[in-house]
Amino acid sequence: MTSASSNTTFILGGARSGKSRFAESLVTATGLDRHYLATGRAWDEEMQARIIKHKADRGPSWATHEEPLDLVGALAAIDGARRIVLIDCLTLWVTNLMMEEREMEAEFAALAAFLPDAKARLVFVSNEVGLGIVPDNRMARDFRDHAGRLHQMIAAKADEVYFIAAGLPLKMKG
């Protein structure tokens, strides 16, 4: 977060690109009260182990909140001045919404509407999924399309946008 007035940062990149590590370094550098809002679900033992490792890696200086569906409600509950919230990640949130057959456009619109009034600084992390080939099945194409629309909405509202590749950040906005 390079600007004192910056409220929302959006970080995109491929799988294992270093985007979460970059996001955590931005959050840590602010000196604000750190909150981590996880959208992932532990569907299997491997995911449970990842979640445990991520919590341990962040350490006790982070307050961790887990919310797979009601992202706006969770953000509203922890919103406050002198706080920074790392939301990791939007594509897992999209997956959860799809699995629960939620109204995607309404969920996305509610999140976009929340951003301008947030008191906390917000750092969103998401996987860029639109750079590959066209998926071969409808669900995968729907996922790609939903994620792409959400990314455009968040990028339009964000003060800063970064694309991460091979651990290297490319600042695209701000």
Side-chain angles (χ1 to χ4, degrees):
M1 316 283 265
T2 56
S3 168
S5 65
S6 180
N7 189 51
T8 301
T9 299
F10 185 34
I11 301 167
L12 282 167
R16 313 307 308 162
S17 63
K19 60 193 174 299
S20 292
R21 184 175 347 105
F22 178 73
E24 289 174 13
S25 71
L26 287 180
V27 169
T28 301
T30 66
L32 297 172
D33 183 21
R34 293 179 231 164
H35 292 260
Y36 186 94
L37 180 50
T39 61
R41 288 178 164 168
W43 295 105
D44 56 30
E45 289 180 16
E46 186 268 341
M47 189 63 168
Q48 288 173 344
R50 281 179 180 254
I51 290 170
I52 290 167
K53 181 181 180 336
H54 283 290
K55 283 181 184 177
D57 289 349
R58 281 191 308 275
S61 64
W62 292 76
T64 299
H65 313 269
E66 297 177 359
E67 179 50 57
L69 296 169
D70 186 12
L71 189 54
V72 174
L75 285 169
I78 59 177
D79 192 27
R82 301 283 313 145
R83 289 185 174 176
I84 188 163
V85 182
L86 172 53
I87 301 95
D88 199 352
C89 85
L90 289 177
T91 44
L92 287 175
W93 183 57
V94 168
T95 299
N96 296 335
L97 294 174
M98 287 180 70
M99 298 301 288
E100 297 292 329
E101 298 182 2
R102 301 286 279 263
E103 177 53 48
M104 306 302 279
E105 297 309 318
E107 297 280 353
F108 296 172
L111 179 58
F114 176 82
L115 298 183
D117 297 323
K119 296 173 197 70
R121 289 189 186 179
L122 305 174
V123 178
F124 290 94
V125 173
S126 199
N127 292 290
E128 175 52 62
V129 296
L131 296 174
I133 62 171
V134 175
D136 70 347
N137 66 76
R138 171 136 190 194
M139 184 178 204
R141 286 187 300 273
D142 286 348
F143 172 77
R144 179 209 51 200
D145 294 349
H146 290 312
R149 282 191 293 277
L150 176 60
H151 291 166
Q152 289 178 54
M153 292 173 80
I154 300 302
K157 298 275 185 178
D159 302 294
E160 296 178 329
V161 178
Y162 292 90
F163 185 81
I164 311 297
L168 300 172
L170 171 64
K171 192 169 192 177
M172 301 173 67
K173 180 180 177 183

